[in-house]
Amino acid sequence: MEYCGFTSGRLGSDNQTRGLILEAESGRKVPVTRNKMLQGADGTVLDRSSFPDDASFKKAVGQTLDAYLKDNPKPDVFVLPFNHGDMENAGKNTDALAGIVKEYYKENGLGKVTTLVLTSAYYDYKNADIAHVPYHLMTKEQARAVENGSTGMKCKVVPTLGVAGNLTKLRINQEANTPKFAQELSRFKNGKPTAFFSLGGRVEGPEIKFTMKDAENLWKRAEEFEKNGFNVVFGNSPRTPTDVTDFLYEKCAENGMAFYNAKKIAQTDKDATDFRMYSGKYKKEFAEQSEKIGNIYPALLSVSNIVIGTMDSFSYTSDTAALGIKTAVYGDMDIDPNKRPDCHRLFEACKNKYVLDLKDDRVFDEKFVMPVLPQTNATIISAVKKMRNEDKKMRLTTIKDAFYEQKQQKTPLVLNSLKSRDR
């Protein structure tokens, strides 16, 4: 089955899409490539909110599909992103994209296509065929309706506890064995267990904050890990604020701990206004680190005995807990429960089942293990296969019924013709 996706412009979301496509096509000799992630000709994210009207949006999507199909096989399944930064409009915007894809296939005689919304909120789609809706994005009433099959929705809802991911045990071990990363990781192979603090961060609006108070709390816990005989490693993300990055980088440098920067370095004054860009005191050091090491995050997971995530980031359900790596979550961030209940729901749903609260002293116990979080990718792919098989059976049944109905209608005419000929 041929999969394809649309880019969202958000790293976490795009990694989920890539991960799902990669696993869905894992039996192929050629791995998934970036051309599977579609965007507008000028790099525009194909989101309805980015276009002035329906006509211009439809034209842009059509041009993208025209260009893709010139050199690539026809996709059977399109993976569509859901913009959690615009919850008010995300459902209808994603459904608009699904509708245009299906209309394009119909107008061009391309046959059946399946549209799948990944990591969606609970929404009554009219054009999307499948909506993957994690439990943390549903209320109790919505979850009950899904489990009872009483949603009344046209689309099929696929619930999961975690989110899709793009990492596997095989990949992180392959990354770790490359010469560049192997040399860097050798510093952690000293007989001590390793605790890796993988930091999330703030968002565009005020609903999620990541402050210096959070940085200080994390550092205090890092010191306790060191006292308990652990190597301690920090890694930030594009959303980690610059002041938090500088504070923790300095603390690591003072104490002989590793810190790996993942923020792009601001080159202009305009760049510096983007909180996702690094504009602090250590541009030179981070530029040199980037040149020498690059993105070491996947490789670091291979040597981590425990990974500490933050409640704003859902990667702990795909990158670590789902890979069987012991996982703890820092849950004291200031996150508005009314605007982002999903963060709280996910943490509470996983806590003491698949992840630990960072405050829990079992984080220091190397012998304590937790169950592996069920695989989200496999659940979604299985649902897609099942739906397409059911559709195929239904189409074959319809064709078969139509054939026999036509045959029955023709039989009297044939008999009358034979009788006339006998006379």
Side-chain angles (χ1 to χ4, degrees), residues 92-163:
K92 65 180 180 182
N93 288 341
T94 304
D95 206 31
L97 177 56
I100 291 173
V101 169
K102 299 188 104 170
E103 191 175 349
Y104 179 93
Y105 266 57
K106 185 177 180 180
E107 291 175 350
N108 290 276
L110 297 175
K112 173 71 177 176
V113 64
T114 299
T115 51
L116 160 68
V117 186
L118 192 59
T119 322
S120 170
Y122 189 89
Y123 183 80
D124 189 8
Y125 292 100
K126 306 302 180 187
N127 300 306
D129 298 300
I130 302 176
H132 159 236
V133 187
Y135 281 110
H136 64 270
L137 293 173
M138 291 187 269
T139 63
K140 288 182 179 179
E141 293 73 21
Q142 291 167 347
R144 195 175 297 117
V146 169
E147 289 169 353
N148 293 336
S150 58
T151 63
M153 292 184 185
K154 182 181 177 182
C155 72
K156 178 180 177 61
V157 177
V158 180
T160 62
L161 184 57
V163 298

Side-chain angles (χ1 to χ4, degrees), residues 265-275 277-279 283:
I265 299 170
Q267 302 297 328
T268 66
D269 291 341
K270 183 179 179 181
D271 287 346
T273 63
D274 184 348
F275 76 91
M277 303 288 280
Y278 177 76
S279 56
K283 288 184 178 180

Side-chain angles (χ1 to χ4, degrees), residues 294-412:
N295 178 22
I296 197 173
Y297 174 78
L300 263 175
L301 297 181
S302 72
V303 296
S304 298
N305 297 85
I306 182 170
V307 175
I308 297 90
T310 50
M311 194 168 65
D312 63 292
S313 175
F314 299 156
S315 63
Y316 65 83
T317 67
S318 57
D319 293 357
T320 54
L323 293 178
I325 301 172
K326 188 174 174 181
T327 304
V329 178
Y330 171 67
D332 286 345
M333 295 173 66
D334 183 359
I335 300 178
D336 188 332
N338 295 314
K339 291 185 177 179
R340 292 302 301 265
D342 51 322
C343 297
H344 296 273
R345 285 184 195 140
L346 183 62
F347 181 38
E348 291 303 322
C350 293
K351 188 169 69 175
N352 295 325
K353 299 181 185 75
Y354 304 105
V355 306
L356 290 171
D357 188 319
L358 182 57
K359 294 177 181 177
D360 192 323
D361 283 342
R362 287 178 293 180
V363 297
F364 304 124
D365 184 354
E366 290 183 67
K367 295 180 181 178
F368 179 77
V369 295
M370 305 197 79
V372 178
L373 187 76
Q375 290 287 332
T376 295
N377 289 14
T379 301
I380 299 170
I381 293 165
S382 176
V384 172
K385 288 179 179 176
K386 184 178 179 182
M387 172 174 272
R388 288 189 64 89
N389 286 337
E390 287 173 352
D391 286 347
K392 185 177 180 180
K393 288 178 182 177
M394 190 177 297
R395 289 197 301 275
L396 290 173
T397 299
T398 301
I399 293 169
K400 183 179 178 181
D401 289 346
F403 170 77
Y404 283 115
E405 183 179 347
Q406 186 181 36
K407 186 176 180 181
Q408 287 171 358
Q409 289 173 350
K410 287 182 177 180
T411 299

Side-chain angles (χ1 to χ4, degrees), residues 15-313:
N15 280 341
Q16 289 179 30
T17 300
R18 288 192 183 98
L20 186 73
I21 296 173
L22 179 63
E23 187 159 338
E25 300 184 346
S26 60
R28 299 187 177 189
K29 293 181 180 179
V30 181
V32 65
T33 56
R34 288 188 181 273
N35 75 330
K36 290 264 187 182
M37 299 292 290
L38 304 185
Q39 58 186 2
D42 57 355
T44 305
V45 172
L46 293 169
D47 187 295
R48 174 63 185 84
S49 62
S50 302
F51 296 82
D53 50 51
D54 291 341
S56 59
F57 182 48
K58 180 179 178 181
K59 181 180 178 181
V61 175
Q63 289 174 338
T64 298
L65 293 174
D66 285 342
Y68 181 80
L69 290 172
K70 281 182 181 177
D71 303 309
N72 298 281
K74 178 186 69 173
D76 302 297
V77 181
F78 280 91
V79 184
L80 315 181
F82 185 95
N83 185 3
H84 295 272
D86 185 17
M87 292 293 280
E88 185 178 347
N89 301 300
K92 65 180 180 182
N93 288 341
T94 304
D95 206 31
L97 177 56
I100 291 173
V101 169
K102 299 188 104 170
E103 191 175 349
Y104 179 93
Y105 266 57
K106 185 177 180 180
E107 291 175 350
N108 290 276
L110 297 175
K112 173 71 177 176
V113 64
T114 299
T115 51
L116 160 68
V117 186
L118 192 59
T119 322
S120 170
Y122 189 89
Y123 183 80
D124 189 8
Y125 292 100
K126 306 302 180 187
N127 300 306
D129 298 300
I130 302 176
H132 159 236
V133 187
Y135 281 110
H136 64 270
L137 293 173
M138 291 187 269
T139 63
K140 288 182 179 179
E141 293 73 21
Q142 291 167 347
R144 195 175 297 117
V146 169
E147 289 169 353
N148 293 336
S150 58
T151 63
M153 292 184 185
K154 182 181 177 182
C155 72
K156 178 180 177 61
V157 177
V158 180
T160 62
L161 184 57
V163 298
N166 69 332
L167 295 181
T168 62
K169 282 282 191 180
L170 176 62
R171 182 186 165 191
I172 64 177
N173 289 330
Q174 285 177 333
E175 294 266 354
N177 288 326
T178 60
K180 178 172 64 173
F181 292 145
Q183 182 178 358
E184 181 66 20
L185 295 177
S186 64
R187 64 189 293 188
F188 308 117
K189 296 178 180 179
N190 54 6
K192 296 181 180 180
T194 296
F196 173 29
F197 284 75
S198 177
L199 309 177
R202 54 164 287 197
V203 292
E204 200 78 51
E207 58 267 30
I208 297 180
K209 298 181 176 68
F210 198 127
T211 66
M212 284 298 295
K213 181 181 177 182
D214 297 313
E216 290 167 358
N217 289 341
L218 287 163
W219 179 251
K220 287 176 184 176
R221 206 54 168 163
E223 288 182 308
E224 291 182 60
F225 270 102
E226 187 178 44
K227 289 176 183 177
N228 277 273
F230 283 76
N231 298 311
V232 175
V233 187
F234 275 85
N236 66 358
S237 72
R239 293 188 298 106
T240 310
T242 289
D243 60 345
V244 170
T245 294
D246 282 354
F247 171 80
L248 291 172
Y249 174 74
E250 289 169 358
K251 287 293 186 182
C252 286
E254 290 168 7
N255 291 272
M257 299 175 186
F259 184 100
Y260 298 102
N261 173 61
K263 291 176 75 72
K264 291 183 179 178
I265 299 170
Q267 302 297 328
T268 66
D269 291 341
K270 183 179 179 181
D271 287 346
T273 63
D274 184 348
F275 76 91
R276 296 177 183 83
M277 303 288 280
Y278 177 76
S279 56
K281 297 181 284 185
Y282 302 103
K283 288 184 178 180
K284 181 175 179 290
E285 289 83 351
F286 288 158
E288 290 174 352
Q289 184 187 80
S290 178
E291 180 70 25
K292 178 184 176 183
I293 300 173
N295 178 22
I296 197 173
Y297 174 78
L300 263 175
L301 297 181
S302 72
V303 296
S304 298
N305 297 85
I306 182 170
V307 175
I308 297 90
T310 50
M311 194 168 65
D312 63 292
S313 175

